[in-house]
Each structure stands twice: as C-alpha cells, then as structure tokens.
Amino acid sequence: MSILITSDTTVIIQGITGREAVTMTREGLDYGTHIIGGVTPGRGGREVHGVPVYDTVEEIAKKTRVDASVISVPPAFTRDAVFEAIEAGVKLMVVVTENIPRFEVAQMVELADQRGARIIGPNCLGVLSPDEAKVGGLGGRAEDAKKAFTKGPIGVMSRSGGMTTEICNTLTAAGLGQSTAVSIGGDAIIGQSYAELMPLFEADPETKAIAIYSEPGGRMEADLARWVKDHNSRLPVVAFMAGRFMDEMPGMRFGHAGTIVEGKADTTAEKIERLREAGIAVAERIEDIPVLVKEKL
C-alpha cells in the first residue's frame, strides 16, 4: 500500500510548458502516472506529450477530479499557483520550485492547513510509489526509476531528492522494496516534515519500517524523535546523518537552504543523540541502512 499517491491519483502539472515540466510530464507518463492535464496561463488549447494544456486549474477541476498538482513555475509565481490549486480543491501540491521567499512559503503552508490540503516541498523532487505513480522528477527517467525503486515495506523520507533515490536504490539492491518515497525538500520552511508524514506511514499496514536521510540544521529530527516516543510508534526507523564535519563550522550551510547550523540543537551530534534516545538507529554509511533495517524488522 502507498501513502499520498497511488495508480488512481489524478495529477496535473502547473507550468507544464516549461522545459523542466515538459521533461517531468514525459517521465511521469512513461512511469504510468495518471497525468490528466497541465496549466500555463495563455497557452490553453495546446498539448504537451498528448496532455491537454489549460489556462487555469479551475478549468480542469470543473471537468474532472484533480487529486494532485506538481507546481513547476518561476519562484515569483509559485505562491499564486499554489493558492490557485488549493482554491480549486486540490489536496496535494508537490512544489519543485526553489528560491521561494520564506514568508510566501509560510503563507502557502498556512492556507493549505486551513483547507485540509498538503504541500510537499518546496525545493523537492516529489513523491514516488513504486509500480504505481511518481509525482515530480524523483527518480528521473521511467526506466531508471523502475530500477532504483521497487515495491516493498520500507517508507523513505529525505530532505535531499538525489539521496532519496540513492537510499531506495541501496534498499532495492538489498532486496528491500519501498512503500512510498518522499523527497520532502531542503528549505528552512517546508510543507510536510518527517514527523508530519509519520502518521500516514503508521496507518499503512504494509509499511514495516522507515528510512530517512538527514542533514545538519533545523529541528525536524528532534520533532521526529519526539513523535516516535510520544506515539510509541510500531515502525522501526533507521536514519543516515550527512555532514557530520559541519559541527565544527557553525553558520556554514551544508547545501540546502535549511541546513545552516545556528545553535547546538542544529548540530549532527545533537541530532544523532536525540534520534538514538528515541530508539532510532543511525547508520554510519548509506550502505549500512539495509543491514540496520533488516535487524529491526
């Protein structure tokens, strides 16, 4: 079973005529994703790889059910695009755009919360449910995604899109398939954190364990550790913490916008301690993740 998306999920792409969105459309269709339309204002009536283009989300929503939208528009227009999708009734927005001002992301997240919708990202590669659908650029070309991601019992979450694929590929090579992989985004403010997605995996009877990739900066690991302890989670969690050298370089950014170490609680050492206190195993190397997962199952 999957969380967030399945083979029945109907998907649109906002900004579908942009170069990256055209590629995502091709890759998604090849993977089997049910992409029913795209939106680019002023370009309604065209097609992208056979997918009809509309001027507004509302035009599509009036014709058919829209479950999810990939937002691939320039940063200056992203907030309006997300607002448009939410107001049209879309419940899942995958925002791949980066460099969106923080206060605009906060506004997007607040409106989504008010409307009972979810935002994945921004600055993410999306969501992939093996053998069912992929929403966003996660995994790249369909033939590559089918090699790296396989159906199975492990939920995967990562702040890095590339490392999401790397972890899944490592799990696949060890015979451990994935229920759903989520690239949650690397910005300081994002729609859904590890802790906020945990209830979905917890409610999925086919998910048996969780693997996460983490980086310095931010409080998401502390929130995850607290959630696991407070809810006595049935799911064993294995984490890999990158950027351990950053503990000696306060104020430096590891890579993503949300990875600045501003205080002791942001350091990898502090994060690892919190995770272990919650019973979460921490892998020294990526290739150790499958070993630890198998020990926990």
Short mmCIF file of all heavy atoms in Angstrom, two decimals, residues 175-242:
data_model
loop_
_atom_site.label_atom_id
_atom_site.label_comp_id
_atom_site.label_asym_id
_atom_site.label_seq_id
_atom_site.Cartn_x
_atom_site.Cartn_y
_atom_site.Cartn_z
N GLY A 175 17.30 -6.12 -1.54
CA GLY A 175 16.06 -6.89 -1.53
C GLY A 175 14.95 -6.28 -0.71
O GLY A 175 13.99 -6.97 -0.35
N LEU A 176 15.09 -4.99 -0.38
CA LEU A 176 14.07 -4.31 0.42
C LEU A 176 13.36 -3.26 -0.43
O LEU A 176 13.92 -2.19 -0.73
CB LEU A 176 14.72 -3.64 1.64
CG LEU A 176 15.31 -4.57 2.70
CD1 LEU A 176 16.17 -3.77 3.68
CD2 LEU A 176 14.19 -5.31 3.45
N GLY A 177 12.14 -3.53 -0.82
CA GLY A 177 11.37 -2.57 -1.61
C GLY A 177 10.79 -1.48 -0.75
O GLY A 177 10.90 -1.48 0.48
N GLN A 178 10.16 -0.51 -1.41
CA GLN A 178 9.65 0.67 -0.70
C GLN A 178 8.13 0.79 -0.89
O GLN A 178 7.60 0.48 -1.95
CB GLN A 178 10.32 1.94 -1.24
CG GLN A 178 11.85 1.90 -1.20
CD GLN A 178 12.47 1.27 -2.45
OE1 GLN A 178 12.11 1.66 -3.55
NE2 GLN A 178 13.37 0.32 -2.30
N SER A 179 7.46 1.27 0.16
CA SER A 179 6.02 1.53 0.06
C SER A 179 5.80 2.87 -0.64
O SER A 179 5.07 2.96 -1.62
CB SER A 179 5.37 1.52 1.44
OG SER A 179 6.02 2.43 2.32
N THR A 180 6.45 3.92 -0.13
CA THR A 180 6.43 5.24 -0.76
C THR A 180 7.72 5.96 -0.41
O THR A 180 8.21 5.86 0.71
CB THR A 180 5.24 6.09 -0.26
OG1 THR A 180 4.02 5.40 -0.52
CG2 THR A 180 5.20 7.45 -0.98
N ALA A 181 8.27 6.69 -1.38
CA ALA A 181 9.45 7.53 -1.13
C ALA A 181 9.03 8.98 -1.29
O ALA A 181 8.37 9.35 -2.26
CB ALA A 181 10.56 7.19 -2.12
N VAL A 182 9.42 9.81 -0.30
CA VAL A 182 9.03 11.22 -0.31
C VAL A 182 10.27 12.10 -0.19
O VAL A 182 11.02 12.01 0.79
CB VAL A 182 8.07 11.56 0.85
CG1 VAL A 182 7.55 12.98 0.70
CG2 VAL A 182 6.92 10.56 0.92
N SER A 183 10.49 12.93 -1.18
CA SER A 183 11.52 13.97 -1.11
C SER A 183 10.84 15.19 -0.51
O SER A 183 10.05 15.87 -1.18
CB SER A 183 12.06 14.27 -2.52
OG SER A 183 12.77 15.48 -2.55
N ILE A 184 11.12 15.47 0.77
CA ILE A 184 10.32 16.48 1.48
C ILE A 184 10.80 17.91 1.22
O ILE A 184 10.09 18.86 1.52
CB ILE A 184 10.30 16.22 3.00
CG1 ILE A 184 11.71 16.34 3.60
CG2 ILE A 184 9.69 14.86 3.31
CD1 ILE A 184 11.73 16.25 5.11
N GLY A 185 12.02 18.06 0.65
CA GLY A 185 12.52 19.40 0.37
C GLY A 185 13.56 19.86 1.38
O GLY A 185 13.51 19.46 2.55
N GLY A 186 14.46 20.70 0.92
CA GLY A 186 15.58 21.09 1.77
C GLY A 186 15.53 22.52 2.28
O GLY A 186 16.50 22.99 2.88
N ASP A 187 14.42 23.22 2.10
CA ASP A 187 14.34 24.61 2.56
C ASP A 187 14.07 24.68 4.06
O ASP A 187 13.67 23.70 4.69
CB ASP A 187 13.25 25.36 1.80
CG ASP A 187 13.68 25.72 0.38
OD1 ASP A 187 14.85 25.45 0.04
OD2 ASP A 187 12.85 26.28 -0.36
N ALA A 188 14.26 25.88 4.62
CA ALA A 188 14.05 26.07 6.05
C ALA A 188 12.59 25.89 6.43
O ALA A 188 12.26 25.41 7.52
CB ALA A 188 14.54 27.45 6.47
N ILE A 189 11.68 26.27 5.54
CA ILE A 189 10.24 26.07 5.76
C ILE A 189 9.72 25.17 4.65
O ILE A 189 9.91 25.48 3.46
CB ILE A 189 9.47 27.40 5.75
CG1 ILE A 189 10.00 28.33 6.84
CG2 ILE A 189 7.97 27.18 5.93
CD1 ILE A 189 9.36 29.72 6.82
N ILE A 190 9.10 24.07 5.03
CA ILE A 190 8.53 23.15 4.04
C ILE A 190 7.13 22.75 4.48
O ILE A 190 6.74 22.96 5.63
CB ILE A 190 9.40 21.89 3.85
CG1 ILE A 190 9.58 21.14 5.17
CG2 ILE A 190 10.74 22.24 3.22
CD1 ILE A 190 10.28 19.80 5.02
N GLY A 191 6.42 22.13 3.54
CA GLY A 191 5.03 21.79 3.83
C GLY A 191 4.87 20.66 4.82
O GLY A 191 4.07 20.74 5.75
N GLN A 192 5.62 19.57 4.63
CA GLN A 192 5.46 18.39 5.46
C GLN A 192 6.82 17.90 5.95
O GLN A 192 7.73 17.65 5.14
CB GLN A 192 4.78 17.26 4.67
CG GLN A 192 3.34 17.58 4.25
CD GLN A 192 2.36 17.47 5.40
OE1 GLN A 192 1.99 16.38 5.80
NE2 GLN A 192 1.92 18.60 5.93
N SER A 193 6.96 17.76 7.25
CA SER A 193 8.21 17.29 7.85
C SER A 193 8.14 15.78 8.04
O SER A 193 7.11 15.14 7.80
CB SER A 193 8.43 17.98 9.19
OG SER A 193 7.44 17.55 10.11
N TYR A 194 9.24 15.19 8.53
CA TYR A 194 9.24 13.76 8.85
C TYR A 194 8.09 13.43 9.83
O TYR A 194 7.33 12.48 9.60
CB TYR A 194 10.56 13.35 9.51
CG TYR A 194 11.80 13.58 8.70
CD1 TYR A 194 12.94 14.13 9.28
CD2 TYR A 194 11.86 13.23 7.36
CE1 TYR A 194 14.10 14.32 8.56
CE2 TYR A 194 13.02 13.42 6.63
CZ TYR A 194 14.13 13.98 7.23
OH TYR A 194 15.28 14.18 6.51
N ALA A 195 8.00 14.20 10.90
CA ALA A 195 7.00 13.91 11.93
C ALA A 195 5.59 14.04 11.39
O ALA A 195 4.69 13.28 11.78
CB ALA A 195 7.20 14.84 13.12
N GLU A 196 5.36 14.98 10.48
CA GLU A 196 4.01 15.18 9.95
C GLU A 196 3.61 14.07 8.98
O GLU A 196 2.42 13.82 8.77
CB GLU A 196 3.93 16.54 9.27
CG GLU A 196 3.95 17.69 10.28
CD GLU A 196 4.18 19.05 9.64
OE1 GLU A 196 5.03 19.16 8.74
OE2 GLU A 196 3.52 20.00 10.07
N LEU A 197 4.59 13.41 8.36
CA LEU A 197 4.27 12.30 7.45
C LEU A 197 4.20 10.95 8.17
O LEU A 197 3.63 10.00 7.64
CB LEU A 197 5.30 12.23 6.33
CG LEU A 197 5.24 13.36 5.30
CD1 LEU A 197 6.44 13.27 4.35
CD2 LEU A 197 3.94 13.31 4.50
N MET A 198 4.77 10.89 9.37
CA MET A 198 4.79 9.61 10.09
C MET A 198 3.41 9.00 10.30
O MET A 198 3.25 7.78 10.17
CB MET A 198 5.51 9.78 11.43
CG MET A 198 7.03 9.69 11.34
SD MET A 198 7.68 8.10 10.75
CE MET A 198 7.23 7.01 12.11
N PRO A 199 2.37 9.80 10.65
CA PRO A 199 1.05 9.17 10.84
C PRO A 199 0.54 8.44 9.60
O PRO A 199 -0.19 7.44 9.73
CB PRO A 199 0.16 10.37 11.20
CG PRO A 199 1.08 11.38 11.78
CD PRO A 199 2.36 11.23 11.01
N LEU A 200 0.90 8.93 8.42
CA LEU A 200 0.46 8.26 7.19
C LEU A 200 1.13 6.90 7.05
O LEU A 200 0.48 5.90 6.71
CB LEU A 200 0.76 9.14 5.96
CG LEU A 200 0.15 10.53 5.94
CD1 LEU A 200 0.47 11.23 4.62
CD2 LEU A 200 -1.36 10.46 6.13
N PHE A 201 2.43 6.85 7.28
CA PHE A 201 3.13 5.56 7.23
C PHE A 201 2.65 4.65 8.35
O PHE A 201 2.49 3.44 8.16
CB PHE A 201 4.64 5.77 7.34
CG PHE A 201 5.30 6.27 6.08
CD1 PHE A 201 5.90 7.51 6.04
CD2 PHE A 201 5.33 5.48 4.93
CE1 PHE A 201 6.52 7.97 4.88
CE2 PHE A 201 5.95 5.94 3.76
CZ PHE A 201 6.55 7.17 3.74
N GLU A 202 2.42 5.23 9.52
CA GLU A 202 1.97 4.44 10.67
C GLU A 202 0.63 3.77 10.37
O GLU A 202 0.37 2.64 10.79
CB GLU A 202 1.83 5.35 11.90
CG GLU A 202 1.58 4.65 13.20
CD GLU A 202 2.85 4.11 13.86
OE1 GLU A 202 3.94 4.53 13.46
OE2 GLU A 202 2.73 3.25 14.74
N ALA A 203 -0.23 4.45 9.62
CA ALA A 203 -1.56 3.92 9.32
C ALA A 203 -1.55 2.94 8.15
O ALA A 203 -2.56 2.30 7.87
CB ALA A 203 -2.51 5.08 9.00
N ASP A 204 -0.41 2.84 7.45
CA ASP A 204 -0.32 1.94 6.30
C ASP A 204 0.14 0.56 6.77
O ASP A 204 1.30 0.40 7.17
CB ASP A 204 0.67 2.51 5.29
CG ASP A 204 0.95 1.53 4.16
OD1 ASP A 204 0.09 0.65 3.93
OD2 ASP A 204 2.02 1.62 3.54
N PRO A 205 -0.74 -0.44 6.73
CA PRO A 205 -0.37 -1.76 7.28
C PRO A 205 0.77 -2.43 6.54
O PRO A 205 1.41 -3.34 7.09
CB PRO A 205 -1.67 -2.56 7.16
CG PRO A 205 -2.46 -1.89 6.08
CD PRO A 205 -2.10 -0.44 6.18
N GLU A 206 1.04 -2.03 5.32
CA GLU A 206 2.10 -2.69 4.54
C GLU A 206 3.47 -2.04 4.75
O GLU A 206 4.48 -2.58 4.31
CB GLU A 206 1.71 -2.69 3.06
CG GLU A 206 0.47 -3.54 2.80
CD GLU A 206 0.11 -3.60 1.32
OE1 GLU A 206 0.92 -3.15 0.49
OE2 GLU A 206 -0.99 -4.09 1.02
N THR A 207 3.52 -0.88 5.38
CA THR A 207 4.81 -0.28 5.72
C THR A 207 5.30 -0.90 7.03
O THR A 207 4.61 -0.88 8.03
CB THR A 207 4.69 1.24 5.87
OG1 THR A 207 4.32 1.82 4.61
CG2 THR A 207 6.03 1.85 6.30
N LYS A 208 6.53 -1.43 6.99
CA LYS A 208 7.07 -2.14 8.16
C LYS A 208 8.24 -1.41 8.81
O LYS A 208 8.64 -1.76 9.93
CB LYS A 208 7.54 -3.54 7.73
CG LYS A 208 6.47 -4.38 7.03
CD LYS A 208 5.26 -4.65 7.91
CE LYS A 208 4.25 -5.55 7.20
NZ LYS A 208 3.00 -5.68 7.97
N ALA A 209 8.83 -0.45 8.12
CA ALA A 209 9.96 0.29 8.68
C ALA A 209 10.14 1.58 7.88
O ALA A 209 9.58 1.74 6.79
CB ALA A 209 11.23 -0.55 8.63
N ILE A 210 10.92 2.49 8.46
CA ILE A 210 11.17 3.79 7.83
C ILE A 210 12.68 4.01 7.72
O ILE A 210 13.43 3.69 8.64
CB ILE A 210 10.57 4.94 8.68
CG1 ILE A 210 9.05 4.78 8.81
CG2 ILE A 210 10.92 6.30 8.09
CD1 ILE A 210 8.28 5.00 7.54
N ALA A 211 13.10 4.59 6.59
CA ALA A 211 14.49 5.02 6.44
C ALA A 211 14.48 6.50 6.10
O ALA A 211 13.68 6.94 5.26
CB ALA A 211 15.19 4.23 5.34
N ILE A 212 15.34 7.27 6.76
CA ILE A 212 15.40 8.70 6.46
C ILE A 212 16.84 9.13 6.21
O ILE A 212 17.78 8.54 6.73
CB ILE A 212 14.81 9.58 7.59
CG1 ILE A 212 15.70 9.56 8.83
CG2 ILE A 212 13.40 9.15 7.94
CD1 ILE A 212 15.36 10.66 9.83
N TYR A 213 16.99 10.15 5.37
CA TYR A 213 18.29 10.79 5.15
C TYR A 213 18.19 12.18 5.76
O TYR A 213 17.21 12.90 5.54
CB TYR A 213 18.57 10.91 3.66
CG TYR A 213 19.73 11.83 3.32
CD1 TYR A 213 21.04 11.36 3.31
CD2 TYR A 213 19.51 13.17 3.03
CE1 TYR A 213 22.09 12.20 3.02
CE2 TYR A 213 20.56 14.02 2.73
CZ TYR A 213 21.86 13.53 2.72
OH TYR A 213 22.90 14.36 2.42
N SER A 214 19.19 12.57 6.54
CA SER A 214 19.11 13.85 7.22
C SER A 214 20.41 14.64 7.08
O SER A 214 21.44 14.09 6.71
CB SER A 214 18.78 13.63 8.70
OG SER A 214 18.29 14.81 9.25
N GLU A 215 20.32 15.92 7.40
CA GLU A 215 21.44 16.85 7.25
C GLU A 215 21.49 17.78 8.46
O GLU A 215 20.52 17.85 9.22
CB GLU A 215 21.24 17.69 5.97
CG GLU A 215 21.23 16.87 4.70
CD GLU A 215 20.88 17.72 3.48
OE1 GLU A 215 20.26 18.80 3.66
OE2 GLU A 215 21.22 17.30 2.37
N PRO A 216 22.59 18.51 8.63
CA PRO A 216 22.66 19.49 9.73
C PRO A 216 21.61 20.59 9.53
O PRO A 216 21.11 20.82 8.43
CB PRO A 216 24.07 20.08 9.60
CG PRO A 216 24.81 19.16 8.69
CD PRO A 216 23.81 18.50 7.81
N GLY A 217 21.29 21.29 10.62
CA GLY A 217 20.38 22.43 10.54
C GLY A 217 18.93 22.04 10.73
O GLY A 217 18.49 20.97 10.30
N GLY A 218 18.18 22.90 11.41
CA GLY A 218 16.75 22.67 11.58
C GLY A 218 16.43 21.73 12.72
O GLY A 218 17.31 21.12 13.32
N ARG A 219 15.13 21.60 13.01
CA ARG A 219 14.67 20.82 14.17
C ARG A 219 13.85 19.61 13.79
O ARG A 219 13.18 19.03 14.64
CB ARG A 219 13.84 21.74 15.08
CG ARG A 219 14.53 23.05 15.48
CD ARG A 219 15.81 22.77 16.24
NE ARG A 219 16.60 23.98 16.45
CZ ARG A 219 16.49 24.76 17.52
NH1 ARG A 219 15.61 24.45 18.44
NH2 ARG A 219 17.26 25.81 17.65
N MET A 220 13.88 19.21 12.51
CA MET A 220 13.00 18.13 12.09
C MET A 220 13.33 16.80 12.76
O MET A 220 12.44 15.99 13.04
CB MET A 220 13.04 17.96 10.57
CG MET A 220 12.12 18.92 9.84
SD MET A 220 11.92 18.50 8.11
CE MET A 220 13.52 18.95 7.48
N GLU A 221 14.61 16.54 13.00
CA GLU A 221 14.97 15.28 13.64
C GLU A 221 14.48 15.23 15.08
O GLU A 221 14.04 14.19 15.57
CB GLU A 221 16.49 15.08 13.58
CG GLU A 221 17.03 14.80 12.18
CD GLU A 221 17.10 16.07 11.33
OE1 GLU A 221 16.93 17.18 11.90
OE2 GLU A 221 17.31 15.95 10.11
N ALA A 222 14.56 16.39 15.76
CA ALA A 222 14.06 16.46 17.14
C ALA A 222 12.55 16.22 17.16
O ALA A 222 12.03 15.51 18.03
CB ALA A 222 14.39 17.81 17.75
N ASP A 223 11.84 16.79 16.18
CA ASP A 223 10.39 16.58 16.10
C ASP A 223 10.06 15.11 15.80
O ASP A 223 9.12 14.56 16.36
CB ASP A 223 9.80 17.47 15.00
CG ASP A 223 9.88 18.95 15.34
OD1 ASP A 223 10.05 19.28 16.53
OD2 ASP A 223 9.78 19.77 14.41
N LEU A 224 10.86 14.51 14.91
CA LEU A 224 10.64 13.09 14.59
C LEU A 224 10.87 12.23 15.83
O LEU A 224 10.06 11.34 16.14
CB LEU A 224 11.58 12.66 13.47
CG LEU A 224 11.58 11.16 13.16
CD1 LEU A 224 10.22 10.71 12.63
CD2 LEU A 224 12.69 10.81 12.15
N ALA A 225 11.98 12.48 16.53
CA ALA A 225 12.29 11.69 17.72
C ALA A 225 11.17 11.81 18.75
O ALA A 225 10.75 10.81 19.36
CB ALA A 225 13.62 12.16 18.31
N ARG A 226 10.68 13.03 18.93
CA ARG A 226 9.60 13.26 19.90
C ARG A 226 8.33 12.52 19.46
O ARG A 226 7.64 11.90 20.29
CB ARG A 226 9.32 14.76 20.02
CG ARG A 226 8.34 15.12 21.14
CD ARG A 226 8.11 16.62 21.23
NE ARG A 226 9.35 17.37 21.30
CZ ARG A 226 9.82 18.14 20.33
NH1 ARG A 226 9.12 18.28 19.21
NH2 ARG A 226 10.95 18.78 20.46
N TRP A 227 8.02 12.56 18.16
CA TRP A 227 6.80 11.89 17.66
C TRP A 227 6.90 10.38 17.88
O TRP A 227 5.93 9.74 18.34
CB TRP A 227 6.61 12.18 16.17
CG TRP A 227 5.24 11.81 15.68
CD1 TRP A 227 4.15 12.62 15.56
CD2 TRP A 227 4.81 10.49 15.28
NE1 TRP A 227 3.08 11.90 15.11
CE2 TRP A 227 3.44 10.60 14.93
CE3 TRP A 227 5.44 9.25 15.19
CZ2 TRP A 227 2.71 9.49 14.49
CZ3 TRP A 227 4.70 8.15 14.76
CH2 TRP A 227 3.36 8.29 14.41
N VAL A 228 8.06 9.82 17.57
CA VAL A 228 8.24 8.37 17.71
C VAL A 228 8.04 7.95 19.17
O VAL A 228 7.38 6.95 19.46
CB VAL A 228 9.63 7.96 17.20
CG1 VAL A 228 9.96 6.52 17.61
CG2 VAL A 228 9.70 8.10 15.68
N LYS A 229 8.60 8.74 20.10
CA LYS A 229 8.48 8.40 21.52
C LYS A 229 7.05 8.64 22.02
O LYS A 229 6.47 7.78 22.69
CB LYS A 229 9.46 9.24 22.34
CG LYS A 229 10.92 8.86 22.11
CD LYS A 229 11.87 9.81 22.82
CE LYS A 229 11.76 9.73 24.31
NZ LYS A 229 12.80 10.59 24.97
N ASP A 230 6.48 9.79 21.68
CA ASP A 230 5.15 10.13 22.20
C ASP A 230 4.07 9.18 21.70
O ASP A 230 3.07 8.95 22.38
CB ASP A 230 4.78 11.57 21.81
CG ASP A 230 5.62 12.60 22.55
OD1 ASP A 230 6.32 12.22 23.50
OD2 ASP A 230 5.57 13.78 22.16
N HIS A 231 4.24 8.65 20.46
CA HIS A 231 3.21 7.80 19.87
C HIS A 231 3.57 6.32 19.95
O HIS A 231 2.85 5.49 19.39
CB HIS A 231 2.96 8.21 18.42
CG HIS A 231 2.35 9.57 18.27
ND1 HIS A 231 3.09 10.73 18.33
CD2 HIS A 231 1.06 9.97 18.12
CE1 HIS A 231 2.29 11.77 18.20
NE2 HIS A 231 1.06 11.35 18.07
N ASN A 232 4.69 6.02 20.62
CA ASN A 232 5.12 4.63 20.74
C ASN A 232 5.01 3.93 19.38
O ASN A 232 4.35 2.89 19.23
CB ASN A 232 4.26 3.90 21.77
CG ASN A 232 4.82 2.55 22.14
OD1 ASN A 232 6.02 2.31 22.01
ND2 ASN A 232 3.95 1.64 22.56
N SER A 233 5.64 4.52 18.39
CA SER A 233 5.50 4.07 17.00
C SER A 233 5.84 2.59 16.84
O SER A 233 6.81 2.09 17.40
CB SER A 233 6.42 4.90 16.09
OG SER A 233 6.38 4.40 14.77
N ARG A 234 5.02 1.91 16.03
CA ARG A 234 5.26 0.49 15.73
C ARG A 234 6.37 0.33 14.69
O ARG A 234 6.87 -0.77 14.47
CB ARG A 234 3.98 -0.16 15.19
CG ARG A 234 3.58 0.36 13.82
CD ARG A 234 2.37 -0.33 13.23
NE ARG A 234 2.03 0.26 11.93
CZ ARG A 234 2.57 -0.09 10.77
NH1 ARG A 234 3.48 -1.05 10.75
NH2 ARG A 234 2.22 0.49 9.64
N LEU A 235 6.74 1.45 14.04
CA LEU A 235 7.67 1.37 12.91
C LEU A 235 9.11 1.63 13.35
O LEU A 235 9.42 2.71 13.85
CB LEU A 235 7.30 2.41 11.84
CG LEU A 235 5.93 2.23 11.19
CD1 LEU A 235 5.61 3.44 10.31
CD2 LEU A 235 5.91 0.95 10.35
N PRO A 236 10.00 0.65 13.18
CA PRO A 236 11.41 0.94 13.42
C PRO A 236 11.92 1.96 12.41
O PRO A 236 11.52 1.93 11.24
CB PRO A 236 12.08 -0.42 13.24
CG PRO A 236 11.15 -1.22 12.41
CD PRO A 236 9.76 -0.73 12.72
N VAL A 237 12.76 2.87 12.87
CA VAL A 237 13.28 3.93 12.00
C VAL A 237 14.81 3.84 11.96
O VAL A 237 15.46 3.68 13.00
CB VAL A 237 12.86 5.33 12.50
CG1 VAL A 237 13.39 6.41 11.54
CG2 VAL A 237 11.34 5.42 12.62
N VAL A 238 15.35 3.93 10.75
CA VAL A 238 16.80 3.97 10.56
C VAL A 238 17.13 5.28 9.86
O VAL A 238 16.50 5.64 8.86
CB VAL A 238 17.29 2.78 9.72
CG1 VAL A 238 18.79 2.93 9.40
CG2 VAL A 238 17.03 1.47 10.45
N ALA A 239 18.12 6.01 10.39
CA ALA A 239 18.49 7.31 9.83
C ALA A 239 19.94 7.30 9.39
O ALA A 239 20.78 6.60 9.97
CB ALA A 239 18.27 8.40 10.88
N PHE A 240 20.22 8.08 8.37
CA PHE A 240 21.60 8.37 7.99
C PHE A 240 21.79 9.87 8.10
O PHE A 240 21.00 10.65 7.55
CB PHE A 240 21.92 7.92 6.57
CG PHE A 240 23.28 8.39 6.10
CD1 PHE A 240 24.43 7.75 6.53
CD2 PHE A 240 23.41 9.50 5.26
CE1 PHE A 240 25.68 8.20 6.14
CE2 PHE A 240 24.66 9.95 4.87
CZ PHE A 240 25.80 9.29 5.31
N MET A 241 22.83 10.30 8.83
CA MET A 241 23.09 11.72 9.03
C MET A 241 24.31 12.14 8.24
O MET A 241 25.43 11.69 8.51
CB MET A 241 23.31 12.00 10.52
CG MET A 241 23.57 13.45 10.86
SD MET A 241 22.13 14.50 10.64
CE MET A 241 21.04 13.80 11.90
N ALA A 242 24.11 12.99 7.26
CA ALA A 242 25.21 13.50 6.46
C ALA A 242 25.78 14.77 7.10
O ALA A 242 25.18 15.33 8.01
CB ALA A 242 24.73 13.81 5.05
#
